Amino acid sequence: MQAVRAARPRGTRRAPDEGTGEISYRVTIACTRAQGEAIGSAEDLFIASEAPPVVVADEPDETKPDDWVIHAYFEAEPTSEELIELRGLGSGEPEIEHLEDSTDWITKSQQGLQPIRAGRFFVHTPMHYVDRPADTVNFEIDAGLAFGTGQHATTAGCLDALDRLAVSGAAFANIADIGTGTGLLAFAALALWPEARCIATDIDPVAIDVSRENAAINGVKTGHNPGELLLAVADGMDSPMLAARAPFDLLIANILAGPLIELAPTFAKSLASGGTVILAGLLDTQADAVAAAYQAQGLQLIDPGHGEWPVVELKAP
């Protein structure tokens, strides 16, 4: 399962119980991988809907990497206009299911998520708590709507990158996680550099609420002091709290290629001398353009990343 709907600056559209009713309809439509990934950057989905659906994309068969499906969860029977919009997102005709009970179908659909190991980190859902190894840094992230459970390769890649930095002897005292989603990357950074000041932001207030809940579950202290996590709603770097904390010696952003390129000037200005930036959420075909945007700001490319979902590392002069 890849919850690509939240692959925009990592957050959620809305949890099922935040609307006026229960999730009662699920609409499924086949799509290509490109179509599934595209919904992550679509900020204008269902803007005319009174109760917009929660939309996620799924890769049901890893042996068929281009055959994805899109699921849309509605509180009420979808209108003809909403079905037309769904047809435009995928391929073929949407299949409508009436869900007979009040089950949280979005969470249920993700309960099969297996734990992942990335560097020294082990990330799991509550049902896999008993599987926690004794020799890992463990985080429990519920299988909800927010992007960043660790299942997506971009999140796991960022965890690996942070672990490698720590192994190399890097030390950071002022950290920012932009587009935090579940808070996971900020938690990992504080686990590696426990005396650091850390701020995590997201454009979506729901994601910040999710991050705060996850911090409590995982014993991460929130607050303004060293070793504590400050959480704030922010659009990119546009936040008084970010401005007050800058410059950062480590900046992490797992969002999308387009926003990463747009944010290059403000990210570069927010980095301390010699500061490191970790960028993810981009495809291998987008890595060069993202890296070039930051090199144009005077940053040095340290690691261009590799694989389908590269994690790019750059350093300020």
Side-chain angles (χ1 to χ4, degrees):
M1 168 72 69
Q2 298 193 5
V4 181
R5 176 66 196 98
R8 61 184 177 80
R10 289 170 295 156
T12 66
R13 176 176 288 279
R14 179 169 39 79
D17 58 357
E18 290 180 79
T20 57
E22 299 168 341
I23 296 295
S24 58
Y25 286 87
R26 176 173 58 193
V27 181
T28 302
I29 185 167
C31 67
T32 64
R33 183 184 110 175
Q35 289 171 325
E37 289 165 351
I39 65 171
S41 59
E43 296 299 324
D44 56 351
L45 293 180
F46 302 97
I47 55 176
S49 298
E50 292 185 7
V54 175
V55 185
V56 297
D58 183 11
E59 181 185 5
D61 187 346
E62 293 182 357
T63 66
K64 299 177 181 179
D66 197 49
D67 294 342
W68 287 32
V69 294
I70 292 171
H71 299 295
Y73 294 84
F74 291 84
E75 294 174 355
E77 186 172 2
T79 65
S80 58
E81 290 80 8
E82 289 168 334
L83 291 176
I84 289 171
E85 185 160 359
L86 276 172
R87 287 190 189 96
L89 298 179
S91 310
E93 283 299 307
E95 298 179 4
I96 305 173
E97 299 172 77
H98 182 218
L99 307 178
E100 296 296 337
D101 56 40
S102 59
T103 300
D104 182 348
W105 287 96
I106 300 153
T107 297
K108 184 176 180 179
S109 71
Q110 298 189 44
Q111 284 179 346
L113 292 176
Q114 295 300 308
I116 63 103
R117 180 80 179 257
R120 73 191 68 188
F121 300 107
F122 183 81
V123 185
H124 63 90
T125 58
M127 68 182 297
H128 290 285
Y129 184 91
V130 296
D131 300 324
R132 293 159 70 115
D135 62 343
T136 53
V137 177
N138 304 304
F139 293 115
E140 178 181 313
I141 304 293
D142 203 353
L145 300 179
F147 183 79
T149 62
Q151 289 292 326
H152 198 280
T154 58
T155 309
C158 287
L159 292 173
D160 271 322
L162 292 172
D163 185 66
R164 288 195 303 271
L165 284 169
V167 169
S168 72
F172 301 105
N174 193 19
I175 301 168
D177 176 15
I178 308 301
T180 193
T182 61
L184 175 59
L185 298 180
F187 303 164
L190 277 174
L192 295 171
W193 300 285
E195 299 303 317
R197 291 160 61 89
C198 187
I199 181 171
T201 65
D202 201 287
I203 195 172
D204 192 334
V206 175
I208 294 303
D209 292 339
V210 168
S211 297
R212 187 171 289 108
E213 293 169 4
N214 286 334
I217 291 169
N218 289 283
V220 177
K221 292 183 178 180
T222 55
H224 294 263
N225 298 317
E228 297 178 344
L229 177 62
L230 180 62
L231 293 164
V233 177
D235 184 356
M237 298 301 291
D238 186 14
S239 164
M241 290 186 181
L242 285 169
R245 285 287 183 98
F248 301 99
D249 51 13
L250 175 62
L251 195 154
I252 312 158
N254 180 13
I255 44 180
L256 290 170
L260 287 176
I261 291 172
E262 292 175 8
L263 287 165
T266 52
F267 275 10
K269 290 178 183 177
S270 299
L271 278 176
S273 176
T276 296
V277 60
I278 299 294
L279 307 174
L282 51 141
L283 291 166
D284 50 2
T285 56
Q286 301 167 324
D288 288 346
V290 171
Y294 286 78
Q295 289 174 297
Q297 300 298 319
L299 273 66
Q300 178 186 359
L301 181 62
I302 303 300
D303 187 345
H306 61 277
E308 183 182 7
W309 299 94
V311 177
V312 178
E313 178 186 345
L314 300 106
K315 198 173 184 67

